[in-house]
């Protein structure tokens, strides 16, 4: 059996499922929630849930719905106005969901998360517990970024990352990212599966930006890769196509499937590598790259340069000179101190710039 068939078959027994739908799937061009479309999607989610699945639903569309409700035709430039739109739109969306899920005899709960919240170890565990508790009580969590208080600018595409993090957080069996194309395309052809999101794959996508979304396929693939690297298979599919979820979980060849990676990253290392935001980059030489691959810590002698302004404990990406990402880890020194240490044999008392226990090889 081919790998694709094997992984498609496995989706039939996926129980815990995260479904993410983007703004363009959920709202009309004006931003108004598209009730017909939402109805189709809710029916499908309800069906998955009622046949024994455990579904968590990550829904975008708050900003779009808010723009419409406030009569704004263009996406505002100021962050505070976007946050206002999100606050208004979130309720519009939820009131539509409340009606639709009630009709389908499903209970729902709203969970608004922030990326920063998931980074804090205790809140991270708290979020996990809340989500698992909702799910085990057969309540569907409807999740969005808490845009109104988020300190990061609201970037469309963020919900793709959020969905991947939620999938890891609750140990989902599968993640479905619904957008307005049926997955990745190579010219006119749909790409049925992707083993690894590499340069060749990224070359196939060109990102687009408009009023409601700038997420684009590149951001979807990168987010999907986070989940896949943590063992969660991901399908990117067309959310406007009737019956799409049912077909995916019947094992049919729908959308683009990203294969899950085998192998076990510890929960702590997952948290380090994927729930923190990358704040800088260290470029290392070949010797260091090889040493990291063998499980060693990063010493200053192998660092060629440091980019970004970060403090002790920040997450940084480790790259080779030709831009290949090889690892990610928490630094023992600030960027200022690293500048001074570059090229030295060891770094002060702790010796290393990133300890191997705080590093994940990608
Ligand atoms: N959280 C934003 C919203 O609900 C969307 C972010 C995204 O589309 O990725 O409008």
């Amino acid at each position: 059996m081919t790998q694709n068939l094997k992984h498609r078959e496995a989706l039939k027994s996926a129980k815990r499922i995260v479904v993410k739908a983007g703004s363009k799937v959920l709202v009309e061009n004006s931003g108004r929630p598209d009730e017909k479309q939402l109805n189709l999607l809710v029916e499908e989610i309800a069906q998955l849930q009622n046949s024994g699945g455990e579904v968590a639903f990550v829904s975008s569309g708050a900003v779009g719905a808010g723009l419409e409700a406030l009569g704004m035709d263009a996406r505002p430039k100021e962050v505070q106005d976007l946050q206002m739109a999100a606050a208004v739109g979130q309720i519009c969306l939820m009131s539509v969901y409340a009606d639709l899920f009630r009709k389908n005899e499903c209970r729902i709960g709203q969970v608004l998360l922030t990326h920063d919240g998931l980074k804090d170890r205790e809140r991270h565990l708290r979020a996990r517990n809340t989500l698992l508790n909702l799910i085990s009580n057969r309540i569907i969590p409807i999740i969005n970024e808490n845009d109104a208080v988020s300190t990061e600018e609201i970037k469309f595409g963020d919900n793709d990352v959020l969905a991947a993090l939620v999938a890891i957080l609750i140990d989902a069996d599968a993640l479905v990212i619904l957008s307005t194309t049926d997955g990745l395309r190579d010219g006119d052809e749909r790409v049925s599966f992707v083993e690894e999101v590499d340069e060749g794959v990224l070359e196939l996508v060109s990102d687009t930006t408009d009023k409601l979304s700038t997420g684009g396929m590149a951001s979807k693939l990168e987010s999907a890769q986070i989940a896949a690297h943590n063992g969660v298979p991901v399908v990117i599919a067309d959310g406007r196509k009737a019956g799409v979820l049912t077909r995916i979980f019947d094992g049919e060849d729908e959308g683009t499937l990203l294969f899950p990676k085998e192998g076990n990253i510890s929960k702590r290392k997952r948290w380090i590598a994927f729930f923190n935001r990358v704040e800088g980059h260290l470029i290392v030489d070949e010797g260091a790259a090889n040493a990291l691959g063998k499980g060693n810590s990063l010493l200053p002698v192998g660092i060629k340069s440091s980019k970004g302004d970060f403090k002790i404990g920040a997450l940084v990406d480790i790259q080779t000179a030709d831009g290949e990402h090889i690892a990610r880890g928490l630094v023992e020194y600030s960027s200022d101190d690293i500048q001074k240490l570059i090229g030295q044999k060891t770094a002060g008392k702790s010796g290393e710039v990133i300890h191997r226990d705080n590093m994940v090889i990608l």
Side-chain angles (χ1 to χ4, degrees):
M1 207 191 314
T2 68
Q3 285 292 309
N4 191 28
L5 275 179
K6 185 189 102 185
H7 289 296
R8 293 278 182 186
E9 270 298 300
L11 289 174
K12 286 189 188 167
S13 49
K15 185 167 179 225
R16 188 171 295 167
I17 295 162
V18 177
V19 176
K20 184 263 168 177
S23 299
K24 284 209 256 178
V25 175
L26 304 171
V27 300
E28 295 165 6
N29 265 344
S30 65
R32 181 200 297 271
D34 183 339
E35 295 209 24
K36 215 170 116 220
Q37 182 56 50
L38 292 179
N39 192 21
L40 283 177
L41 196 57
V42 167
E43 275 178 5
E44 276 211 282
I45 292 176
Q47 216 171 61
L48 284 177
Q49 170 88 357
N50 293 337
S51 55
E54 301 177 331
V55 190
F57 180 32
V58 178
S59 170
S60 303
V63 172
L67 297 185
E68 202 258 353
L70 295 169
M72 297 172 160
D73 337 303
R75 192 175 157 84
K77 297 234 155 27
E78 299 292 330
V79 181
Q80 60 185 18
D81 293 335
L82 282 169
Q83 292 188 303
M84 175 169 76
V88 172
Q90 182 66 26
I91 317 186
C92 304
L93 267 183
M94 288 310 285
S95 79
V96 177
Y97 284 134
D99 284 346
L100 293 177
F101 276 103
R102 195 178 307 117
K103 273 194 210 134
N104 285 276
E105 289 170 27
C106 289
R107 288 190 295 170
I108 56 171
Q110 171 181 262
V111 180
L112 298 177
L113 299 170
T114 62
H115 207 128
D116 277 347
L118 291 179
K119 177 165 95 177
D120 177 273
R121 188 84 181 133
E122 210 183 304
R123 289 168 98 197
H124 173 115
L125 296 173
R126 185 72 68 190
R128 172 182 154 86
N129 282 342
T130 304
L131 290 171
L132 291 179
N133 195 24
L134 285 165
I135 285 171
S136 66
N137 282 289
R138 307 213 57 70
I139 300 167
I140 300 173
I142 304 188
I143 303 162
N144 197 356
E145 172 102 17
N146 193 353
D147 293 317
V149 303
S150 172
T151 51
E152 295 282 328
E153 178 139 8
I154 301 168
K155 285 204 291 294
F156 286 108
D158 280 355
N159 275 7
D160 295 323
V161 183
L162 190 68
L165 297 182
V166 166
I168 304 171
L169 196 65
I170 63 172
D171 300 309
D173 300 319
L175 164 65
V176 179
I177 297 182
L178 295 174
S179 84
T180 49
T181 49
D182 60 347
L184 174 65
R185 303 198 74 88
D186 185 356
D188 290 336
E189 303 256 315
R190 172 175 58 91
V191 177
S192 172
F193 67 91
V194 167
E195 282 178 60
E196 177 75 33
V197 178
D198 53 20
E199 266 169 42
V201 168
L202 288 174
E203 258 168 33
L204 297 174
V205 298
S206 59
D207 260 345
T208 48
T209 302
D210 64 27
K211 179 176 117 188
L212 297 177
S213 85
T214 60
M217 194 50 76
S219 119
K220 289 194 176 22
L221 287 167
E222 280 164 16
S223 306
Q225 174 95 323
I226 297 176
H229 272 168
N230 285 280
V232 183
V234 185
V235 181
I236 302 176
D238 187 347
R240 293 174 309 179
K241 209 162 151 184
V244 67
L245 289 175
T246 312
R247 274 200 302 280
I248 291 171
F249 293 103
D250 279 346
E252 284 179 42
D253 185 11
E254 187 65 53
T256 299
L257 168 66
L258 258 85
F259 293 173
K261 288 272 169 306
E262 322 273 332
N264 246 332
I265 308 181
S266 71
K267 283 219 158 56
R268 183 172 169 280
K269 286 208 172 179
R270 279 183 183 183
W271 169 74
I272 290 179
F274 302 108
F275 287 83
N276 287 279
R277 275 194 206 266
V278 174
E279 292 179 63
H281 296 264
L282 296 176
I283 318 296
V284 300
D285 63 21
E286 228 175 280
N290 289 334
L292 297 186
K294 291 189 191 127
N296 293 303
S297 298
L298 177 66
L299 303 178
V301 66
I303 301 177
K304 294 170 75 153
S305 62
S306 157
K307 280 192 260 173
D309 191 10
F310 49 84
K311 300 198 183 95
I312 297 183
L315 180 71
V316 302
D317 261 342
I318 305 174
Q319 283 170 247
T320 59
D322 42 24
E324 195 197 339
H325 275 127
I326 49 176
R328 205 171 251 197
L330 305 178
V331 286
E332 307 278 335
Y333 294 90
S334 69
S335 49
D336 286 349
D337 286 340
I338 290 175
Q339 293 294 358
K340 291 179 214 145
L341 287 167
I342 286 177
Q344 288 183 28
K345 272 227 142 46
T346 61
K349 52 180 184 333
S350 64
E352 52 272 319
V353 171
I354 300 180
H355 192 275
R356 60 173 183 203
D357 291 347
N358 293 330
M359 184 157 43
V360 179
I361 306 298
L362 298 174

